[in-house]
Amino acid sequence: MQTRILIVTVGALLAASCGEEPPSGPPFRTETSVSMLMANILDPAADLLWDAVGTVIDENGETTWEPETEEEWLQVRLGAMALAESANLLMMDGRARDQDQWIRLAEDMADAAMQAFEAAEARDVQRVFDLGEVVYNSCNNCHTLYWVDDEDRGRVVESGS
Ligand code: HEC
């Protein structure tokens, strides 16, 4: 009798776990392609960061610019935070091209962008400039592997590391 009850219980547990629906969460919408996110969120957001601080040397001498007003700093923070959060958009099912390298590259971008955000909060002009380059490299690192005509190229590197 004891055994019988045990078997029934185990059977019930198995049935319950097999018949379970995959875990359901909020109804995320991922119809917007990676390419559309790049062109309409990441690229304009990065420009807010990259254009914020700069120097041009021409026949008029050296011209430098940096954010001065709160509104100008807000643009930098907006760009940096939009980039940091965009990493999550890139990691969503249907957009992530794989579950390791792609994820790491997106996280690298988020880390760089978040540091740029903090630099903007601190109004640290030099650091915003320097982190602009770190962000730029994080874009490039992913593009080298995944923004290629041959869609499978990224997958070759995927398993090794
Ligand atoms: C995790 C990977 C990844 C990261 C990080 C990434 N990109 Fe991309 N990006 C891609 C892929 C993949 C494509 C090609 C998309 C396609 O054509 O399907 C692309 C395409 C683009 C395009 C062309 C979009 C178009 O018009 O089709 C731009 C612009 C771009 N990325 C900008 C950026 C910028 C700026 C950053 C960094 C701030 C960045 N990307 C970071 C993966 C990434």
Side-chain angles (χ1 to χ4, degrees), residues 8-127:
V8 168
T9 315
V10 169
L13 276 176
L14 279 178
S17 60
C18 290
E20 232 172 69
E21 298 277 305
S24 61
F28 290 131
R29 298 174 185 190
T30 54
E31 295 87 358
T32 304
S33 67
V34 167
S35 160
M36 288 288 279
L37 292 180
M38 293 290 157
N40 298 287
I41 299 183
L42 280 89
D43 204 40
D47 280 342
L48 292 178
L49 183 63
W50 293 332
D51 294 346
V53 184
T55 307
V56 164
I57 300 168
D58 57 18
E59 66 274 14
N60 302 319
E62 193 177 294
T63 314
T64 60
W65 64 93
E66 60 185 60
E68 275 156 17
T69 63
E70 164 57 17
E71 261 155 62
E72 285 167 350
W73 278 111
L74 175 62
Q75 294 300 302
V76 186
R77 298 202 304 273
L78 166 62
M81 190 165 275
L83 284 182
E85 279 298 316
S86 296
N88 292 328
L89 304 180
L90 295 177
M91 288 191 263
M92 292 170 85
D93 280 349
R95 293 192 182 128
R97 302 272 167 100
D98 58 58
Q99 285 303 311
D100 52 277
Q101 187 168 251
W102 177 276
I103 304 293
R104 281 200 308 279
L105 291 163
E107 286 185 304
D108 288 348
M109 183 191 68
D111 289 343
M114 212 52 214
Q115 286 178 35
F117 177 82
E118 282 158 16
E121 268 197 321
R123 301 197 174 196
D124 185 335
V125 173
Q126 184 60 44
R127 210 166 143 66

